[in-house]
Amino acid sequence: MPHAAGSSPGSHTTGRTMDTKAELQKVYRLEAELEQVVQKQKALRKEGRKDNDKEVHAKRCELLRVIGDVIINDPVTSEEKDLANKMWNLCFYKHISHLRSDISKQKSLAKKRQAGGAGELSSPKKALLSGLEKQYSDFLSQSVTYYEWLTKQILKDLVPLTQTQSSDDDSLDAEITGRSI
């Protein structure tokens, strides 16, 4: 699911030797950095210049990895700091809202064009809308896959695995590793 280049869900810290306080500091630093990058991206869009989603994506993936590590390795602190909610909002919800807004704008432009008698959308505009809808669908699918993987990682500590469950986890890990947002 969403992960930075060279990283995979399997690269999360395993074991309980993680320095939770240091990881929380990373979370807060990355949260601020992500907000700065998003604001920069918004300014570029307002100026009509092409923004660079790669920087936002990289920050979101790094934040996702760090929060996921804390959730897996220190669930008590994770709950106290409401990290699951922070992860949802910063790594998923805001991006989903952004994609939905872009799709809605493109559909609205198409309706106005048709109502004004200008006809159908041009091929590039249709391709843009189709691309946005595919990004949205892919992101939702990958998000669900990530949450399934994260849930299994948490459950591994709570419930002893049978051999069958272990092979299912391996196939899910392989599926996740092959996907990236």
Side-chain angles (χ1 to χ4, degrees), residues 16 18 20-21 24 28 67-84 154 157-158:
R16 302 258 182 225
M18 175 179 79
T20 303
K21 189 173 183 177
L24 288 173
Y28 302 134
I67 292 174
D69 282 347
V70 177
I71 289 171
I72 291 167
N73 293 301
D74 193 343
V76 173
T77 300
S78 170
E79 181 64 23
E80 289 171 356
K81 301 295 183 182
D82 198 22
L83 292 184
I154 294 166
D157 286 342
L158 300 175

Short mmCIF file of all heavy atoms in Angstrom, two decimals, residues 16 18 20-21 24 28 67-84 154 157-158:
data_model
loop_
_atom_site.label_atom_id
_atom_site.label_comp_id
_atom_site.label_asym_id
_atom_site.label_seq_id
_atom_site.Cartn_x
_atom_site.Cartn_y
_atom_site.Cartn_z
N ARG A 16 10.07 -4.75 19.97
CA ARG A 16 9.61 -3.70 20.88
C ARG A 16 10.75 -2.81 21.36
O ARG A 16 10.64 -2.19 22.40
CB ARG A 16 8.92 -4.34 22.08
CG ARG A 16 7.77 -5.22 21.68
CD ARG A 16 6.49 -4.50 21.93
NE ARG A 16 5.38 -5.37 21.59
CZ ARG A 16 4.37 -4.94 20.89
NH1 ARG A 16 4.30 -3.73 20.46
NH2 ARG A 16 3.38 -5.76 20.63
N MET A 18 11.89 -0.17 19.85
CA MET A 18 11.76 1.15 19.25
C MET A 18 11.72 2.24 20.33
O MET A 18 11.13 2.05 21.39
CB MET A 18 10.46 1.17 18.44
CG MET A 18 10.11 2.51 17.85
SD MET A 18 8.59 2.43 16.90
CE MET A 18 7.38 2.47 18.18
N THR A 20 9.96 5.06 21.31
CA THR A 20 8.67 5.66 20.99
C THR A 20 8.72 7.17 21.04
O THR A 20 8.15 7.85 20.17
CB THR A 20 7.58 5.13 21.94
OG1 THR A 20 7.54 3.70 21.83
CG2 THR A 20 6.23 5.70 21.60
N LYS A 21 9.40 7.72 22.02
CA LYS A 21 9.47 9.19 22.14
C LYS A 21 10.12 9.80 20.90
O LYS A 21 9.63 10.79 20.36
CB LYS A 21 10.24 9.57 23.41
CG LYS A 21 10.19 11.03 23.73
CD LYS A 21 10.82 11.32 25.07
CE LYS A 21 10.69 12.79 25.42
NZ LYS A 21 11.23 13.08 26.74
N LEU A 24 7.70 9.55 18.00
CA LEU A 24 6.64 10.56 18.09
C LEU A 24 7.16 11.93 17.63
O LEU A 24 6.43 12.68 16.97
CB LEU A 24 6.09 10.64 19.51
CG LEU A 24 5.23 9.47 19.95
CD1 LEU A 24 4.89 9.60 21.44
CD2 LEU A 24 3.96 9.38 19.12
N TYR A 28 5.60 14.33 14.60
CA TYR A 28 5.26 15.75 14.67
C TYR A 28 6.06 16.56 13.66
O TYR A 28 5.54 17.48 13.02
CB TYR A 28 5.45 16.28 16.09
CG TYR A 28 4.63 15.52 17.12
CD1 TYR A 28 5.19 15.11 18.31
CD2 TYR A 28 3.30 15.19 16.87
CE1 TYR A 28 4.44 14.39 19.25
CE2 TYR A 28 2.55 14.48 17.80
CZ TYR A 28 3.13 14.08 18.98
OH TYR A 28 2.38 13.37 19.90
N ILE A 67 4.19 6.37 11.69
CA ILE A 67 2.99 6.16 12.50
C ILE A 67 2.66 4.66 12.58
O ILE A 67 2.33 4.15 13.66
CB ILE A 67 1.79 6.96 11.97
CG1 ILE A 67 2.01 8.45 12.16
CG2 ILE A 67 0.49 6.52 12.67
CD1 ILE A 67 0.94 9.33 11.54
N GLY A 68 2.77 3.97 11.46
CA GLY A 68 2.51 2.53 11.46
C GLY A 68 3.43 1.79 12.41
O GLY A 68 3.00 0.88 13.13
N ASP A 69 4.71 2.19 12.44
CA ASP A 69 5.66 1.57 13.37
C ASP A 69 5.20 1.74 14.82
O ASP A 69 5.25 0.80 15.60
CB ASP A 69 7.05 2.19 13.23
CG ASP A 69 7.81 1.68 12.02
OD1 ASP A 69 7.39 0.68 11.42
OD2 ASP A 69 8.85 2.29 11.68
N VAL A 70 4.78 2.95 15.17
CA VAL A 70 4.36 3.20 16.55
C VAL A 70 3.08 2.41 16.86
O VAL A 70 2.97 1.80 17.93
CB VAL A 70 4.16 4.70 16.83
CG1 VAL A 70 3.64 4.93 18.25
CG2 VAL A 70 5.46 5.47 16.61
N ILE A 71 2.14 2.39 15.92
CA ILE A 71 0.89 1.65 16.14
C ILE A 71 1.19 0.16 16.38
O ILE A 71 0.63 -0.44 17.30
CB ILE A 71 -0.08 1.83 14.96
CG1 ILE A 71 -0.63 3.27 14.95
CG2 ILE A 71 -1.22 0.81 15.00
CD1 ILE A 71 -1.44 3.62 13.71
N ILE A 72 2.07 -0.40 15.58
CA ILE A 72 2.40 -1.82 15.69
C ILE A 72 3.20 -2.11 16.96
O ILE A 72 2.92 -3.07 17.68
CB ILE A 72 3.18 -2.30 14.45
CG1 ILE A 72 2.27 -2.29 13.22
CG2 ILE A 72 3.79 -3.69 14.67
CD1 ILE A 72 3.01 -2.43 11.90
N ASN A 73 4.19 -1.28 17.26
CA ASN A 73 5.15 -1.58 18.32
C ASN A 73 4.81 -1.01 19.69
O ASN A 73 5.33 -1.47 20.70
CB ASN A 73 6.55 -1.12 17.90
CG ASN A 73 7.06 -1.95 16.74
OD1 ASN A 73 7.18 -3.15 16.84
ND2 ASN A 73 7.33 -1.28 15.63
N ASP A 74 3.95 0.00 19.73
CA ASP A 74 3.56 0.58 21.02
C ASP A 74 2.10 1.01 20.95
O ASP A 74 1.79 2.21 20.90
CB ASP A 74 4.48 1.76 21.36
CG ASP A 74 4.33 2.21 22.81
OD1 ASP A 74 3.33 1.83 23.45
OD2 ASP A 74 5.21 2.95 23.29
N PRO A 75 1.20 0.04 20.93
CA PRO A 75 -0.22 0.37 20.77
C PRO A 75 -0.80 1.23 21.89
O PRO A 75 -1.72 2.00 21.65
CB PRO A 75 -0.91 -1.00 20.69
CG PRO A 75 0.08 -2.00 21.14
CD PRO A 75 1.43 -1.40 21.00
N VAL A 76 -0.25 1.13 23.09
CA VAL A 76 -0.76 1.93 24.20
C VAL A 76 -0.49 3.41 23.94
O VAL A 76 -1.39 4.26 24.01
CB VAL A 76 -0.15 1.47 25.55
CG1 VAL A 76 -0.54 2.42 26.67
CG2 VAL A 76 -0.57 0.05 25.87
N THR A 77 0.76 3.74 23.61
CA THR A 77 1.10 5.13 23.29
C THR A 77 0.35 5.59 22.05
O THR A 77 -0.14 6.73 22.00
CB THR A 77 2.62 5.29 23.07
OG1 THR A 77 3.29 4.90 24.27
CG2 THR A 77 2.98 6.71 22.71
N SER A 78 0.24 4.72 21.08
CA SER A 78 -0.49 5.04 19.86
C SER A 78 -1.92 5.47 20.19
O SER A 78 -2.41 6.46 19.66
CB SER A 78 -0.50 3.83 18.94
OG SER A 78 -1.38 4.02 17.88
N GLU A 79 -2.56 4.73 21.07
CA GLU A 79 -3.93 5.06 21.46
C GLU A 79 -3.97 6.37 22.26
O GLU A 79 -4.84 7.22 22.02
CB GLU A 79 -4.54 3.91 22.28
CG GLU A 79 -5.97 4.14 22.71
CD GLU A 79 -6.94 4.25 21.54
OE1 GLU A 79 -6.67 3.74 20.44
OE2 GLU A 79 -8.00 4.87 21.74
N GLU A 80 -3.04 6.53 23.18
CA GLU A 80 -2.99 7.76 23.98
C GLU A 80 -2.81 9.00 23.10
O GLU A 80 -3.37 10.06 23.39
CB GLU A 80 -1.84 7.69 24.98
CG GLU A 80 -2.06 6.71 26.12
CD GLU A 80 -0.82 6.49 26.98
OE1 GLU A 80 0.27 7.04 26.65
OE2 GLU A 80 -0.92 5.74 27.98
N LYS A 81 -2.02 8.87 22.05
CA LYS A 81 -1.72 10.00 21.16
C LYS A 81 -2.66 10.07 19.96
O LYS A 81 -2.50 10.94 19.09
CB LYS A 81 -0.27 9.92 20.66
CG LYS A 81 0.76 9.92 21.77
CD LYS A 81 0.75 11.22 22.54
CE LYS A 81 1.84 11.24 23.60
NZ LYS A 81 1.83 12.46 24.39
N ASP A 82 -3.63 9.16 19.90
CA ASP A 82 -4.63 9.12 18.83
C ASP A 82 -3.97 9.05 17.44
O ASP A 82 -4.37 9.73 16.50
CB ASP A 82 -5.55 10.34 18.93
CG ASP A 82 -6.85 10.15 18.15
OD1 ASP A 82 -7.24 8.99 17.89
OD2 ASP A 82 -7.47 11.17 17.78
N LEU A 83 -2.93 8.21 17.33
CA LEU A 83 -2.17 8.12 16.09
C LEU A 83 -2.95 7.50 14.94
O LEU A 83 -2.73 7.84 13.78
CB LEU A 83 -0.86 7.38 16.30
CG LEU A 83 0.17 8.10 17.17
CD1 LEU A 83 1.47 7.30 17.22
CD2 LEU A 83 0.43 9.51 16.68
N ALA A 84 -3.86 6.58 15.24
CA ALA A 84 -4.66 5.99 14.16
C ALA A 84 -5.49 7.07 13.47
O ALA A 84 -5.59 7.10 12.24
CB ALA A 84 -5.54 4.88 14.71
N ILE A 154 -1.00 -6.06 13.79
CA ILE A 154 -1.43 -5.87 15.18
C ILE A 154 -1.94 -7.18 15.76
O ILE A 154 -1.61 -7.55 16.89
CB ILE A 154 -2.50 -4.76 15.26
CG1 ILE A 154 -1.88 -3.41 14.88
CG2 ILE A 154 -3.12 -4.69 16.66
CD1 ILE A 154 -2.89 -2.31 14.59
N ASP A 157 0.41 -9.95 17.27
CA ASP A 157 0.81 -9.86 18.67
C ASP A 157 -0.27 -10.35 19.63
O ASP A 157 0.01 -10.71 20.76
CB ASP A 157 1.16 -8.41 19.05
CG ASP A 157 2.49 -7.96 18.47
OD1 ASP A 157 3.29 -8.84 18.08
OD2 ASP A 157 2.71 -6.75 18.42
N LEU A 158 -1.50 -10.34 19.15
CA LEU A 158 -2.62 -10.69 20.02
C LEU A 158 -3.04 -12.14 19.92
O LEU A 158 -3.50 -12.72 20.89
CB LEU A 158 -3.83 -9.80 19.70
CG LEU A 158 -3.61 -8.30 19.88
CD1 LEU A 158 -4.85 -7.54 19.42
CD2 LEU A 158 -3.30 -7.96 21.32
#
